[in-house]
Amino acid sequence: LHRAVGGEFRCFRDGLPTRDGAWRSFEEFMRRGGLLALFERLPVLLRLLATAISLWVAETAEFLRRLEADRGALCDVFGAGTRPGAVEQISSMLSDPHCGGRNVKIIRFASGLRVVYKPRSLAIDLAWFGLTQWMSQRTGLPLRSPRILNRGDWGWAEFIPHEPCKDPEAVERFYRRAGHLLCLLYATESTDFHHENIVACGEFPVPIDLETVFTPEPFTLEEQGAATLQFLGSVFSTLMLPNWMEFIGQSDAVDISALGSRPETQPHIIQRRWIHPNSDAMEFVAIREKGKQRQNVPFLADGSYPDAGQFVARVADGFAEAYGCLMANHDTLLSRRGPLEAFRNCRTRLVIRPTRVYSKVPERALSASCLDCGVDRSLEFEGLSRHFLASHEGHGSRALFRAEVRAMEQLDIPYFQLRTDSGDLLDEEGNVVERNYIKRSEERRVGKECRSRW
């Protein structure tokens, strides 16, 4: 909407003899029928606006009901029985929107307590908490994972702050723990643990988004180069180790990994946004901005960031220690009473296509040429079907494609799930999209490798 109205304003302003007072005149013009004329010319824009508003109202009301219902439990689990007080701040849109605009939020109470709201089951997060506790008791080097309150279709997680290490020895313990964590993520076929999903909280590397634990062999519908394919099923699949990628809107390749991404190595980002909003000089321009502060890197109290390259041996030592622990406790680990049993029937996310691919398609579908006719907008989404038409490997179906389009039509990023003990592909609401989408582990190469690791 802001782009369409902004375009209208530029055309209106260019038709005036002077810019002075252009914005006030434009506001009056829009109130007197200009906005209605815009919607008549771009009916798809009106439909999308109505969709966004109705979904926001429904999602916000749902969140507020859940917050009110769970206030007492939040006090017991995260506040040590202390009343948190009134809600002072709600930070929203901290994740991609899924399932009708639902997104992650951080709530801060008057007592200072902060908790993270996630609109999905946190059963797998709770199982991971148990696994790390089990392993910490056997290695003597505790790992940390957010405390969890799982409510079924939603849940609450402990807020993990980015805090400094007390001394250089604490930095060494951080990277040794990072080796433990890397081994555990590798052994559980976990992916997507890049710089945004791990927080350096003192001497603890803490994973804060565990929806991709026990994810099958990394695979997307986009073509992958040989350099990428050779890392599938290796420790690089976790994205904890250095991994450079190129993104649209950024001037250079970016290291997105949890251990390699550092503040001083991040390039500037080219962003397009409005300057001088709601004024005669309002313009939509490209601006070069510094990247966001990264919270994945350990730092000292004086604000310095030790060079991660100095601690490669500590990571390797930690990995070997954790690997030895898993092998020494092989039978207990895989027993019915072992820590892996809690993962049974949990839901894990399967990333069918990278989010950057899903983001590009709706962006094109918001161009002016696609807002005057729903057919033209729908044709933009048809590009996602090309892989299904060209592929002979059977990695996807018409139902999968329809689920992708259905999500993007309501301005969501498509979200697919798997149960940890099933190969059926589920959509964001838990409906089966395709049965036996993932072959049984005994028929898959990575499944065989996983058993050999244990």
Side-chain angles (χ1 to χ4, degrees):
L1 177 63
H2 68 278
R3 290 192 183 184
V5 174
E8 289 290 295
F9 172 63
R10 286 196 299 271
C11 293
F12 180 87
R13 184 180 59 190
D14 292 344
L16 298 176
T18 176
R19 285 193 172 192
D20 293 340
W23 179 253
R24 288 185 178 275
S25 299
F26 178 71
E27 285 183 313
E28 184 65 21
F29 165 74
M30 294 298 281
R31 279 196 296 266
R32 289 181 177 272
L35 185 59
L36 178 59
L38 174 64
F39 287 145
E40 289 176 342
R41 193 170 71 253
L42 303 176
V44 178
L45 175 63
L46 178 59
R47 175 170 61 82
L48 292 176
L49 181 61
T51 298
I53 291 174
S54 62
L55 290 177
W56 180 84
V57 170
E59 189 271 340
T60 302
E62 177 185 78
F63 161 71
L64 293 176
R65 287 195 300 269
R66 291 172 173 178
L67 175 61
E68 183 62 26
D70 293 342
R71 182 183 286 267
L74 292 175
C75 173
D76 295 336
V77 175
F78 304 108
T82 303
R83 295 181 64 84
V87 175
E88 288 193 337
Q89 184 182 49
I90 298 176
S91 300
S92 188
M93 299 305 293
L94 301 180
S95 67
D96 293 322
H98 302 296
C99 199
R102 292 176 174 84
N103 60 89
V104 173
K105 297 174 175 61
I106 295 178
I107 299 89
R108 189 186 72 201
F109 295 92
S111 65
L113 173 67
R114 285 184 288 182
V115 295
V116 182
Y117 165 77
K118 297 189 177 185
R120 63 171 178 84
S121 170
L122 297 188
I124 201 164
D125 303 62
L126 198 58
W128 179 266
F129 182 89
L131 177 60
T132 56
Q133 295 296 304
W134 178 90
M135 185 171 174
S136 296
Q137 294 170 2
R138 286 156 179 78
T139 62
L141 186 68
L143 292 176
R144 184 174 176 183
S145 184
R147 287 174 293 159
I148 297 298
L149 173 61
N150 184 34
R151 286 308 206 193
D153 291 334
W154 74 94
W156 307 86
E158 175 187 8
F159 176 80
I160 303 297
H162 187 208
E163 295 180 340
C165 293
K166 294 180 179 179
D167 48 47
E169 289 73 21
V171 178
E172 293 197 8
R173 290 193 295 271
F174 174 93
Y175 283 104
R176 186 177 156 208
R177 285 188 171 96
H180 284 208
L181 180 60
L182 177 62
C183 179
L184 207 52
L185 292 173
Y186 167 64
T188 54
E189 292 191 278
S190 303
T191 65
D192 211 36
F193 285 87
H194 48 72
H195 67 275
E196 293 181 343
N197 287 340
I198 290 183
V199 173
C201 183
E203 59 185 73
F204 295 89
V206 186
I208 59 172
D209 189 354
L210 294 154
E211 65 181 356
T212 52
V213 170
F214 279 108
T215 296
E217 178 179 356
F219 170 78
T220 70
L221 292 180
E222 307 306 307
E223 293 184 1
Q224 305 208 44
T228 302
L229 290 173
Q230 66 178 327
F231 292 132
L232 297 184
S234 75
V235 289
F236 285 95
S237 295
T238 65
L239 289 189
M240 276 194 69
L241 299 180
N243 189 309
W244 293 80
M245 300 184 69
E246 294 183 354
F247 293 92
I248 294 176
Q250 295 179 328
S251 54
D252 301 299
V254 180
D255 186 350
I256 65 169
S257 66
L259 296 183
S261 177
R262 299 178 57 79
E264 65 272 17
T265 62
Q266 300 309 309
H268 286 77
I269 301 173
I270 307 299
Q271 297 228 359
R272 295 185 62 82
R273 62 181 177 87
W274 292 100
I275 59 173
H276 312 303
N278 299 342
S279 73
D280 298 344
M282 185 171 69
E283 295 288 350
F284 192 62
V285 299
I287 297 179
R288 189 179 181 88
E289 298 179 336
K290 293 190 67 174
K292 296 180 181 179
Q293 180 183 6
R294 300 295 169 88
Q295 300 190 40
N296 57 297
V297 184
F299 66 103
L300 294 168
D302 61 4
S304 62
Y305 289 82
D307 181 8
Q310 299 177 2
F311 302 96
V312 173
R314 293 290 178 267
V315 176
D317 290 344
F319 187 96
E321 290 169 359
Y323 192 92
C325 173
L326 295 178
M327 296 304 295
N329 293 276
H330 175 278
D331 293 339
T332 302
L333 190 63
L334 298 180
S335 70
R336 282 289 184 177
R337 295 185 178 182
L340 295 183
E341 185 64 20
F343 289 94
R344 185 179 297 277
N345 204 30
C346 288
R347 290 187 183 181
T348 182
R349 182 183 180 186
L350 181 63
V351 180
I352 301 293
R353 307 182 201 252
T355 299
R356 64 181 183 275
V357 173
Y358 283 134
S359 299
K360 284 192 299 184
V361 176
E363 182 72 15
R364 293 196 301 266
L366 287 175
S367 63
S369 61
C370 295
L371 295 179
D372 62 348
C373 177
V375 174
D376 290 341
R377 175 174 168 80
S378 297
L379 288 175
E380 285 293 335
F381 297 129
E382 289 296 319
L384 292 174
S385 67
R386 292 173 183 167
H387 175 88
F388 302 139
L389 298 174
S391 174
H392 300 289
E393 300 175 359
H395 290 304
S397 65
R398 185 178 301 175
L400 191 158
F401 169 65
R402 284 199 300 265
E404 290 180 310
V405 173
R406 188 164 56 249
M408 288 187 291
E409 283 283 12
Q410 64 177 15
L411 308 176
D412 282 340
I413 296 297
Y415 189 94
F416 295 97
Q417 308 173 85
L418 294 167
R419 293 188 181 91
T420 50
D421 56 354
S422 170
D424 294 345
L425 183 68
L426 312 176
D427 65 13
E428 54 194 7
E429 296 181 349
N431 302 314
V432 176
V433 174
E434 185 172 339
R435 296 198 179 278
N436 299 317
Y437 181 79
I438 301 297
K439 295 179 180 179
R440 303 299 299 176
S441 61
E442 61 268 17
E443 298 174 353
R444 296 173 54 242
R445 174 179 58 81
V446 174
K448 295 176 182 177
E449 291 180 356
C450 187
R451 287 201 306 280
S452 70
R453 295 172 198 163
W454 298 113

